[in-house]
Amino acid sequence: MPNYRPIRRGQLIIPFGVGALVDFRNDESLMTAGLDEWPFANEECPKDWHVSEERLQSRLDVSHFRLPPDYRNPGPNINYPNQRIPFVRFPRWHYCPMRGAMEKLSLFGDQPKCPCRPGLDCEKLPQSKRPKLIPSRFVSICPKGHIEDFPFMEWVHKNDNWDSTHKLRLLPGRSSASLSGIEIRCNCGKVENLAGIFNFDATGGSLHRIGYDCSGGKPWVGDEGNKGSCGEHLRVVQRGSSNVYFPLTVSSIYLPLWGEDISRTINQILDDKQVWEVLTSGLDDGKYIQMFRCEMIAQLYGVDADELSKAAQKKLDGSSNLRHSKYRTEEEFRRQEFEALRLGRGSESTDLMVEVRNADKYGPELGKFLNKICLVKKLRETRVLVGFSRLLPVEDSESQHLLPISDNINLNWLPASVVYGEGIFFEFNGAMICDWLENEEVRERVISMKRSYNQSRIERGMGEVEFATKYILLHSFAHALIGQLSVDCGYGSAALRERIYCEPNDSAEPMQGVLIYTASGDSEGTLGGLVRQGEPENMISAFERALHRAQWCSSDPVCIESVGQGSDNANLAACHGCLLLPETSCETGNRLLDRGMLLGTPQDPSIGFFSYLEKTND
């Protein structure tokens, strides 16, 4: 019976994308292989794998995105065989769970059984009774993202010579439950425990002290490395550690603005990659769709040729503008989304449908603070895996520490996942925010947070970032409301996500928006429950209760009086008892939060946006 290793499509983008270690059942550890080895990597893939997202394609300079292969039961409608994502076996060092016999396996091949060497008790066991080898839990990584096995042979023999006749045996917990109790024995008589393998300082780590540095291993593309090819100091970690893999993903809310006022049938026709190639394969003057091509497609699908021609030309004009526009910053990219959401762009026939409500319809309480509350009845989010890093996360696709997910520089596609959902968009009152920012205590409170956050980035070798003071307000508001909505409408908090629209510096075109949406990729995101919470009778109650819950925390007064807590000390009054959410819900990894920005502190209520404005408007 084959050993099936199931994994969901979306997981191959995050958290188990190219280069990630995946623990499967039966004690099997595998690493997702590079795109070069994926099915149809260098040829045309099945049509339904294609993902069209013009804005993101322009930003990342690729021709298209692809969904990872999915497993399908063979049938009359399946015109291609089932495809599987390739993996390599890593770590390579494995050991017998019964007697500790160690073997270094190939990157490729099945998980073998214990070799049961002479002299061990299990030697006499029949083949069917022998246990399968299980992977070592220690690996070595370097700042450039390379990864390799912990060098057990070199650790045991230090500077002595060894060859293929030397065999190792792992004996855990003989004298201590710590690393010093794990012994590695060689048949030559050498014995060494693993005490100190995690030690690392400015002069190098435990492996550098025995003369072993990074060899540049990239097992996800089949490269085991060569001694001296990298030379960086290696850091020993456990293979399940969070710093072994940091994927860099880029996401986008689909804006099918060319498809407004066009029937859904024609939208679907023009979204077909093969149809679009036919329509654009020959253009008049390089910029006009030829009518005879539209007539041919219209006759094939039974639609009006003139309507199809107008829609195709509108899409072509929009795509041409995108090809010539390069998004230099995330702010430029998000500004289009911000404008589309606040203006209610999209329609029922597209994958974006927004209903705009003025905030004054929600009563004076919300009308003071917000301009609009928009019900996003339909949205589509595309998440693309760009690369990954190890040891430290990266935020820029141009970073030298970002590892590519393919060795083929001519590969013109990236893997993506597409999720459909719904949401609620809040546009804050810009004049009120400006009034609130005049409070000197507000600006001074954020200074220490900015300093702590950027200091931790510098220590990790990352550059400083600028963010507006109002970002803390918008971000904290999003977390407080997500926590309340998950209680009111039954969504798990991990199924709700935030998307903050805020320029990093003062701008002539400010953004102050928050999108809370569900896009979990399953039926939970399609039930309409979140949009119903945006109705006045529900939102007023949720808004008031979210602020009421933010007034206190089970960790107060420690939490509200904090001068720095959480990851990188980048939060003030925010902990697991009040504002923190699952990592999948937050854009910044639960950093840059402070409920003091919402309602102030007991010592100074005026620094809270909502309490300050209530007081000044009484």
Side-chain angles (χ1 to χ4, degrees):
M1 182 177 179
N3 181 16
Y4 292 108
R5 304 173 181 90
I7 189 168
R8 295 200 306 270
R9 259 183 163 179
Q11 289 181 312
L12 289 165
I13 306 302
I14 185 171
F16 301 135
V18 173
L21 286 171
V22 188
D23 286 328
F24 290 99
R25 60 188 179 185
N26 299 322
D27 292 315
E28 195 168 21
S29 175
L30 303 176
M31 178 180 286
T32 312
L35 296 186
D36 311 78
E37 303 301 324
W38 284 33
F40 306 104
N42 296 293
E43 55 188 291
E44 185 64 26
C45 70
K47 181 175 66 174
D48 56 349
W49 291 6
H50 274 264
V51 176
S52 176
E53 171 54 280
E54 292 92 348
R55 292 196 313 131
L56 208 49
Q57 289 164 204
S58 174
R59 181 180 183 183
L60 299 177
D61 197 23
V62 294
S63 65
H64 66 284
F65 304 117
R66 294 184 185 181
L67 299 174
D70 61 335
Y71 186 85
R72 306 179 184 187
N73 291 322
N77 297 323
I78 303 298
N79 56 9
Y80 60 91
N82 274 315
Q83 304 295 325
R84 294 174 173 84
I85 291 295
F87 288 83
V88 296
R89 192 165 300 284
F90 191 86
R92 295 173 59 196
W93 272 112
H94 284 57
Y95 67 94
C96 172
M98 289 182 64
R99 292 295 180 265
M102 299 186 71
E103 290 286 332
K104 192 171 186 180
L105 309 180
S106 167
L107 288 174
F108 314 100
D110 293 329
Q111 184 181 15
K113 292 189 175 183
C114 174
C116 296
R117 301 191 191 111
L120 300 182
D121 297 342
C122 55
E123 180 186 5
K124 298 178 182 179
L125 287 175
Q127 185 69 21
S128 61
K129 298 287 186 179
R130 294 180 181 180
K132 286 190 174 182
L133 296 178
I134 62 177
S136 164
R137 71 175 193 261
F138 305 111
V139 296
S140 309
I141 55 181
C142 90
K144 292 183 179 179
H146 304 131
I147 186 170
E148 54 189 275
D149 281 85
F150 179 82
F152 288 101
M153 279 291 187
E154 288 82 353
W155 184 258
V156 172
H157 295 93
K158 297 300 189 275
N159 296 321
D160 295 338
N161 294 326
W162 54 272
D163 55 39
S164 59
T165 63
H166 290 69
K167 301 295 181 182
L168 299 181
R169 187 180 176 195
L170 184 147
L171 302 174
R174 289 302 173 112
S175 59
S176 170
S178 65
L179 289 173
S180 61
I182 303 177
E183 289 186 349
I184 308 296
R185 296 190 176 211
C186 181
N187 58 357
C188 71
K190 294 280 188 180
V191 181
E192 190 64 65
N193 64 46
L194 298 184
I197 62 172
F198 294 140
N199 293 346
F200 194 89
D201 54 34
T203 62
S206 56
L207 297 186
H208 179 68
R209 294 188 183 95
I210 65 170
Y212 192 91
D213 290 323
C214 181
S215 59
K218 296 185 288 184
W220 62 94
V221 292
D223 183 1
E224 299 177 29
N226 296 299
K227 189 173 182 179
S229 64
C230 174
E232 287 280 350
H233 296 175
L234 287 167
R235 187 188 295 266
V236 181
V237 297
Q238 297 198 65
R239 73 169 192 267
S241 298
S242 59
N243 61 352
V244 169
Y245 185 74
F246 292 102
L248 177 63
T249 59
V250 181
S251 67
S252 172
I253 302 297
Y254 185 50
L255 304 180
L257 304 184
W258 60 268
E260 295 173 340
D261 304 322
I262 296 172
S263 71
R264 187 161 189 81
T265 301
I266 289 183
N267 268 286
Q268 292 172 340
I269 292 172
L270 294 180
D271 273 337
D272 189 312
K273 185 175 182 293
Q274 292 182 335
V275 170
W276 187 244
E277 287 178 350
V278 171
L279 291 174
T280 58
S281 58
L283 301 175
D284 287 340
D285 295 332
K287 54 184 178 180
Y288 299 109
I289 300 282
Q290 295 175 336
M291 188 61 191
F292 82 91
R293 297 179 186 274
C294 294
E295 292 173 346
M296 178 178 62
I297 297 296
Q299 185 176 8
L300 181 65
Y301 286 91
V303 297
D304 184 76
D306 289 334
E307 186 180 357
L308 178 65
S309 175
K310 292 177 182 178
Q313 188 63 49
K314 191 174 181 181
K315 179 178 180 179
L316 178 66
D317 293 341
S319 300
S320 177
N321 293 334
L322 285 171
R323 282 195 297 271
H324 292 92
S325 64
K326 292 297 180 182
Y327 302 98
R328 292 175 300 230
T329 64
E330 179 72 14
E331 177 191 353
E332 293 178 358
F333 190 72
R334 293 205 178 191
R335 187 172 293 280
Q336 285 186 322
E337 295 177 12
F338 174 73
E339 293 296 334
L341 292 170
R342 66 184 291 271
L343 296 176
R345 303 295 298 272
S347 68
E348 188 175 357
S349 64
T350 68
D351 285 330
L352 180 70
M353 182 178 177
V354 184
E355 181 181 329
V356 179
R357 303 273 184 88
N358 288 327
D360 55 14
K361 294 183 178 180
Y362 290 76
E365 294 83 3
L366 272 69
K368 291 179 185 178
F369 314 124
L370 304 174
N371 283 341
K372 297 175 182 177
I373 296 178
C374 304
L375 306 185
V376 187
K377 297 186 175 181
K378 289 197 299 183
L379 63 81
R380 188 183 99 185
E381 183 188 26
T382 303
R383 303 169 189 164
V384 179
L385 178 64
V386 176
F388 66 93
S389 63
R390 305 196 195 277
L391 277 182
L392 297 172
V394 296
E395 301 169 344
D396 183 8
S397 58
E398 303 298 324
S399 171
Q400 61 178 350
H401 295 304
L402 184 71
L403 285 161
I405 54 181
S406 166
D407 263 3
N408 184 358
I409 60 175
N410 297 317
L411 215 61
N412 64 348
W413 61 274
L414 289 171
S417 66
V418 177
V419 287
Y420 298 86
E422 54 180 315
I424 308 173
F425 175 76
F426 303 86
E427 184 188 7
F428 277 65
N429 187 321
M432 292 294 187
I433 286 182
C434 290
D435 187 17
W436 172 68
L437 289 174
E438 292 296 320
N439 189 337
E440 186 66 28
E441 286 75 15
V442 171
R443 295 196 297 270
E444 289 182 357
R445 183 173 175 85
V446 175
I447 288 175
S448 62
M449 181 186 291
K450 290 184 176 181
R451 187 183 302 114
S452 297
Y453 182 60
N454 279 317
Q455 182 60 36
S456 65
R457 290 177 59 88
I458 293 172
E459 291 172 356
R460 297 199 304 262
M462 305 168 69
E464 294 188 15
V465 293
E466 285 291 331
F467 56 88
T469 299
K470 65 180 178 181
Y471 179 88
I472 311 299
L473 166 66
L474 300 175
H475 193 200
S476 302
F477 169 79
H479 277 236
L481 194 56
I482 286 175
Q484 184 60 46
L485 289 174
S486 67
V487 173
D488 291 347
C489 60
Y491 288 106
S493 56
L496 300 180
R497 295 167 63 92
E498 67 180 10
R499 199 166 177 87
I500 311 298
Y501 298 93
C502 178
E503 76 282 1
N505 299 302
D506 293 334
S507 169
E509 299 179 86
M511 291 189 293
Q512 47 270 331
V514 173
L515 173 64
I516 296 174
Y517 65 104
T518 174
S520 58
D522 57 20
S523 60
E524 191 176 17
T526 62
L527 300 179
L530 184 58
V531 164
R532 283 195 292 273
Q533 292 303 311
E535 297 294 341
E537 62 272 16
N538 297 324
M539 180 49 63
I540 293 173
S541 174
F543 185 86
E544 291 176 346
R545 282 182 287 174
L547 293 182
H548 177 72
R549 291 178 61 185
Q551 284 182 320
W552 68 277
C553 170
S554 57
S555 296
D556 281 342
V558 175
C559 179
I560 195 66
E561 295 177 358
S562 171
V563 295
Q565 61 178 322
S567 182
D568 299 330
N569 286 327
N571 295 329
L572 293 179
C575 70
H576 286 285
C578 49
L579 286 188
L580 300 194
L581 295 174
E583 293 288 341
T584 54
S585 300
C586 181
E587 291 188 315
T588 58
N590 276 324
R591 299 176 178 88
L592 306 179
L593 294 164
D594 178 22
R595 59 191 171 94
M597 293 285 146
L598 301 177
L599 294 165
T601 64
Q603 293 78 19
D604 190 359
S606 70
I607 64 173
F609 176 70
F610 298 104
S611 60
Y612 173 71
L613 291 180
E614 281 183 351
K615 181 178 178 180
T616 56
N617 283 278
D618 284 341

